[in-house]
Amino acid sequence: MQETWRWYGGLDKITLPDVAQTGASGIVNALHEIPYGEVWQPERINARADQIRAAGFDWAVVESLPIHERIKRGEGDLTQLFANYRQSMANLADAGVQVICYNFMPLLDWTRTDLAAPVARGGTCLRFEAYRMAAFEIHMLGRAAAEDDYPEDVRQRAAIWFQQSTQADRDALLHAIMSGLPGAYDRYDVDGLKHALTLYDGLDRTALRANYKRFLDEIIPAADDLGMRFCVHPDDPPRDILGLARIVSGADDIDWIMGAVDSKANGLTLCSGSLGANPANDVPEIAAKHADRIHFAHLRNVRKDSDGAFEEAAHLEGDTDMVALIKVLLAEEKRRRDTGRADHSIPFRPDHGHELLTDIGQGTFPGYPMVGRLRGLAELRGVIAALTHGV
């Protein structure tokens, strides 16, 4: 398995020389400065690829080549947006980048309610608190239908929190929820988010699936022609948010996606944390079922509460059996080698680490500190070394 590291380019306070000290060989990167829907021009791609290679890495995965929200909504004439997307793919392939991670989450990317929840022995982690999300949806956003999305005990806790909260508390909650948007994109205030949500009125699960199928039909044949690998990232958290349907949350969803376009290019980013936040998901089992379509892995762990809350655990702690999961990935790599596949190696990265020691106060991207991820990489590296010893 290839060790990789997510790096945000010029937006990142962690430098490539810093990353070199982790021992990772690949960089996971995107051109976050380019607005959704615009073509990634060759000169921009090549400049980034040259920068990465000059530092001693290869650009292993693009994460992400974003999908314009109009495509997700199925809104208007999408011909040019699909053409732009395919052109960006071709430009990346010309630069030697073959793996593209993406997601199909409407409007928001990953969502948390707390960016610095305390960890028992020191440090902080990302946390999703169900009652705080309910407080945001019901009391701050005023989304009437949200009452039906949470059980009574969570609604009661949400009401108490809102009554006791200060404006600073509410501002911090909004900031946390908006922080999942990568790069230099718009963050919404409450009124702006209310307006943005109106654009998704009527977009239920069936409609969103139809729009996703259309995207796959437009893109995967081009990926096949270019020899690229596309891999969808699961929803984070794996549940509807803000009344927006999410369709990459569980085993049935992934079965549907893999069957929607039957091509090796139509693959999965195996994110153990996103899938692991859904109590119904057996992550090693999902990985084993779709092993031949896993093109990239995010390895992290979560610890779940019964009310739907969860937090980032240490990589070898939490609710997912990480050793069992890595066994599945290593077995798939062996199968690929035995069949003569040149691209047998599965790139992985240590996802969402705790903020530890000198991470605290550095202002890195939430979930992407240096020391916390380095701890995770070291632990995962140890598991891989033990499982491959003598093989």
Side-chain angles (χ1 to χ4, degrees), residues 88-351:
S88 295
M89 292 164 55
N91 294 343
L92 285 164
D94 286 344
V97 184
Q98 296 293 324
V99 180
I100 296 177
C101 169
Y102 70 99
N103 74 71
F104 212 79
M105 289 180 268
L107 190 62
L108 295 183
D109 206 311
W110 60 264
T111 304
R112 299 292 186 274
T113 60
D114 194 335
L115 304 181
V119 176
R121 298 186 67 183
T124 67
C125 69
L126 302 180
R127 182 170 173 83
F128 179 90
E129 196 72 76
Y131 75 87
R132 288 195 187 186
M133 194 69 203
F136 179 78
E137 293 203 54
I138 297 168
H139 301 286
M140 292 175 60
L141 201 60
R143 190 175 73 82
E147 292 275 357
D148 299 328
D149 292 345
Y150 296 93
E152 176 62 25
D153 61 327
V154 173
R155 296 199 303 268
Q156 289 178 356
R157 291 188 70 191
I160 292 169
W161 181 87
F162 183 74
Q163 292 163 5
Q164 296 178 346
S165 65
T166 65
Q167 188 59 49
D169 294 331
R170 298 170 194 175
D171 290 344
L173 178 57
L174 175 65
H175 172 71
I177 291 169
M178 290 296 106
S179 291
L181 292 169
Y185 305 127
D186 292 338
R187 269 65 173 168
Y188 300 103
D189 59 17
V190 169
D191 288 338
L193 183 57
K194 286 180 181 179
H195 173 71
L197 287 170
T198 65
L199 301 176
Y200 297 82
D201 287 347
L203 188 69
D204 62 11
R205 179 179 178 82
T206 299
L208 187 59
R209 267 194 172 185
N211 296 341
Y212 187 19
K213 176 67 163 62
R214 181 182 178 188
F215 170 79
L216 293 174
D217 287 338
E218 291 276 355
I219 298 306
I220 296 302
D224 279 325
D225 291 342
L226 293 165
M228 302 188 84
R229 297 286 184 262
F230 254 63
C231 39
V232 65
H233 188 286
D235 302 326
D236 186 11
R239 52 162 292 170
D240 293 356
I241 290 287
L242 304 175
L244 300 172
R246 290 194 163 188
I247 57 171
V248 195
S249 294
D252 290 344
D253 293 333
I254 295 170
D255 290 346
W256 179 86
I257 294 162
M258 296 300 104
V261 177
D262 188 13
S263 164
K264 287 292 190 294
N266 178 29
L268 174 66
T269 296
L270 194 286
C271 181
S272 55
S274 296
L275 290 172
N278 183 339
N281 288 336
D282 183 323
V283 181
E285 183 178 272
I286 291 171
K289 183 173 185 179
H290 298 290
D292 64 332
R293 305 281 277 274
I294 295 173
H295 305 318
F296 183 34
H298 290 179
L299 299 183
R300 62 182 173 91
N301 225 321
V302 296
R303 182 180 295 106
K304 299 182 288 293
D305 295 340
S306 60
D307 67 351
F310 64 90
E311 68 181 24
E312 310 285 353
H315 286 72
L316 300 187
E317 299 174 9
D319 299 335
T320 294
D321 186 339
M322 192 63 69
V323 176
L325 176 58
I326 292 174
K327 279 184 179 179
V328 171
L329 299 177
L330 291 172
E332 172 59 18
E333 280 195 336
K334 181 180 185 303
R335 187 197 67 78
R336 295 179 189 185
R337 283 196 303 272
D338 291 346
T339 60
R341 269 185 61 173
D343 62 341
H344 60 267
S345 182
I346 298 173
F348 79 94
R349 64 176 179 82
D351 204 5

